[in-house]
Amino acid sequence: MTLASASPAKPMAELAREYGLKPEEYDLILKRLNREPNEVELGVFSVMWSEHCSYKSSRKHLSKFPTKGPKVICGPGENAGVIDIGDGQACIFKMESHNHPSYIEPYQGAATGVGGIMRDVFTMGARPVALLNALRFGDPSHPKTKRLLAGVVAGIGGYGNCVGVPTVAGETEFHPGYNGNILVNAMCVGLADADKIFYSAAPAAGLPVVYFGSKTGRDGIHGATMASAEFDEDSEEKRPTVQVGDPFAEKLLIEATLELMATGAVAAIQDMGAAGLTSSSVEMAGKGGVGIELDLDAVPQREEGMSAYEMMLSESQERMLAILKPGREAEGQRIFEKWGLDAATIGMTTDTGRIVLKHKGQVVCDLPLSPLSDDAPLYDRPHVATPKAPRLTVHEVPPPADYGAAVLKLMSTPNMASKRWIWEQYDRHVMADTLDDSSTGADAGVVRVHGSKKALAVTSDCTPRYVFADPYEGGKQVVAEAWRNLTAVGADPIAITDNLNFGNPERPEIMGQIVGAIEGMAEACRTLDFPVVSGNVSLYNETNGVAIPPTPTVGAVGLIPDYAVRAGFSGMKDGDVLVLIGQSHGELGASLYLRDVLGREEGAPPPVDLALEKKTGDLVRGLIRSGAVQVAHDLSDGGLACAAADMALASNVGVDLAPTSQLHAHLFLFGEDQARYLVAVGDPKAVLDAAQAAGVHASVVGKAGGEDFRSHDLFNIPLAKLREANEGWLPGYMGETA
């Protein structure tokens, strides 16, 4: 075969730079090929070697994560992670970012992020049963924040609601560090039979390659490259690289895919996500050690005159690529026609170890697969450790002038204020298996495993201010808090997925954040037996050289054996006694109190004693399982005061907190020490005795009752006033632009 020549308007080396390739990377391509690539081939290299697809800056450090465990069926390397949840069932889940697209076009960017993460899950044979999201926006006073928030939330709701998968949990925070680069991390959780998991590696040569789903258009071209670059003043011009989603097509795609899998005709399958047809074909053939040949004339197209380059790099949504067993094409076609999907056999697997593309009777691409995947660049980038922030002493953090005003301030600050305005736009109960969600007062979403007594507990967590102050300690805390949130509802934590959001890795101080956070997370995962089974790395999150706060988000999944025996923080009753389980020292470095009440962002974050986390969490989970505790809340942002306020509001009953010392009451109320839980019980004796037997500190810190949130002589706030402060900020903020 003779390779078709190309006559681009610009020299290839210049085009390579426009496509995001460094000069030395282009030189490496010349060396690997022993010739100059044509434009189609250059496009293939540019997306496969992008940070988004190759993880070239992070792969070396990602290997530090523990990825195996007794319940891990499939760890990183596939579309999503797979864990065993017993009874022949598996849970499949993953989290991914859609940060850059959501900043440029918030509705479609967020919507297609939801669609893409669902495809990662159902392409492995799972039916999606829950969605989560972790959102970070800029300062509320920034002129773009309101529009971005409204668009992203509408996009998430618009897509997930139409597909019919409940959005059960998540988090939304604001900080000036995200003014130029918001974060939209989406997570999907699905259920499958453990013996019916589907993988992406092509098993042999001579098998038909089938395209099905929506037609290919020009939307999303070079989306993976755009996601691997910094923003600047011209970012708005990148709107054409944002894909357009169709949730109704996704619903049809889910049903057709699962029906096709049930026939036994599928040999391998992959969704078309970042880098579209390029990444799906390269990864399927590369993982299987075979080659692949495609006839692009057969690709269903929705626009006329599409070039081979456009078809290969398009990121049009709702598309799948399957390798079928011999002679099963007609069977597949009947299913695709039933569900009204476009479909075509567009190629075959080969034994050449190459990707060959034909268009209009000519070979327009002929590349070895190994340089595109296994042999892609791998960097050990220079990194410098983040200087450790000093630990603040009690004398460096004064008490508030007015404790009541401080509590109201914290509970109404953008990060602590109720997100009701957001989650009311999400369908949280479609499928009828949601037991706990953002509205019910629980530290994790809980979704029943249909037809059983089991339930999945799911959460997403990150405290960027801790990671910024100390990436290693902050990385430990990210994992520990996710573990605590699962524990607080009574679940056995099983595994995590992660979404590592950072700035430009070519800057040693940013690479230092990445390395430190990964190493802290890895240590926590090892100690807590909480392996990483999937994930995503999103780098170059910065604008004009200003990076986002380091935000390594963790999505976690646990199992509740009997969903009738679980806990939340909304069931507190008049007369209940509040018991604080865990040791308190009054850590206020990098705390919410320090930032939002005193206006200072400084100090070392609270240290994370992982052995203590495990001992304390195992105690709390045991108390929940025994029935001794039904009301529990982990302590995190805002410390004891905010946790108790959450419980009071969710339960609609007042609370009286009893500080152990008037002199240092702010440490008691607002300290953010880790490994702590607040439980409410009728009689505290069983809890206190169990804690003593386990060697865990526990003490009575208050009592429920009345209609006020108070603490002896320090403050007394009517519950109605506290609720108004907590629930009023976000609707008031969003209503200002009416």
Side-chain angles (χ1 to χ4, degrees), residues 4 66 220 268 270 278 318 357 363 367-368 385 393 400 439 499 526 558 599 606 650:
Q270 173 85 31
T278 293
E318 295 85 41
L357 307 175
V363 176
L367 295 173
T393 68
S439 69
N499 207 144
R526 285 190 296 270

Side-chain angles (χ1 to χ4, degrees), residues 18 59 93-94 241 254 260 330 337 364 404 410 608 658 686 698 736:
E18 290 185 12
R59 276 207 324 270
F93 64 100
K94 190 180 184 183
T241 60
I254 292 172
L260 178 67
E337 288 177 2
V364 294
L410 286 173
V608 180
E736 290 173 7

Side-chain angles (χ1 to χ4, degrees), residues 324-553:
L324 300 186
K325 295 173 182 176
R328 306 294 289 270
E329 297 96 320
E331 197 171 351
Q333 192 63 40
R334 283 196 299 274
I335 293 170
F336 304 140
E337 288 177 2
K338 169 186 172 181
W339 291 102
L341 299 176
D342 287 288
T345 299
I346 64 169
M348 298 286 287
T349 57
T350 67
D351 60 3
T352 64
R354 303 179 73 83
I355 178 169
V356 176
L357 307 175
K358 295 179 179 178
H359 187 226
K360 297 182 178 178
Q362 292 186 304
V363 176
V364 294
C365 172
D366 187 350
L367 295 173
L369 284 165
S370 59
L372 296 172
S373 50
D374 298 338
D375 202 20
L378 175 61
Y379 295 126
D380 184 2
R381 296 202 185 276
H383 59 276
V384 295
T386 301
K388 283 192 174 292
R391 202 159 174 189
L392 300 180
T393 68
V394 62
H395 305 293
E396 294 175 284
V397 186
D402 182 330
Y403 274 92
V407 171
L408 287 170
K409 171 73 172 174
L410 286 173
M411 292 302 291
S412 62
T413 197
N415 288 348
M416 285 297 293
S418 167
K419 305 304 185 297
R420 178 186 296 274
W421 182 90
I422 293 174
W423 50 253
E424 281 189 339
Q425 298 186 51
Y426 304 152
D427 190 333
R428 307 179 306 282
H429 298 283
V430 64
M431 301 179 81
D433 284 320
T434 303
L435 301 175
D436 285 302
D437 62 82
S438 304
S439 69
T440 57
D443 283 305
V446 179
V447 178
R448 177 177 54 180
V449 177
H450 201 74
S452 79
K453 291 185 175 182
K454 297 182 298 188
L456 297 174
V458 295
T459 185
S460 68
D461 293 286
C462 186
T463 311
R465 64 182 187 278
Y466 290 174
V467 187
F468 181 79
D470 186 335
Y472 180 76
E473 208 64 34
K476 286 163 59 179
Q477 193 275 341
V478 170
V479 174
E481 185 172 352
W483 193 85
R484 276 201 307 274
N485 281 337
L486 298 180
T487 294
V489 298
D492 291 310
I494 297 178
I496 72 169
T497 181
D498 60 61
N499 207 144
L500 307 180
N501 307 274
F502 292 89
N504 184 345
E506 296 168 51
R507 294 166 55 195
E509 68 275 17
I510 299 297
M511 197 66 215
Q513 293 177 343
I514 297 169
V515 173
I518 287 174
E519 290 178 348
M521 293 170 70
E523 182 183 343
C525 289
R526 285 190 296 270
T527 304
L528 299 174
D529 300 320
F530 209 22
V532 180
V533 297
S534 61
N536 171 243
V537 176
S538 175
L539 306 182
Y540 296 94
N541 289 291
E542 55 183 80
T543 299
N544 295 325
V546 178
I548 61 162
T551 312
T553 307

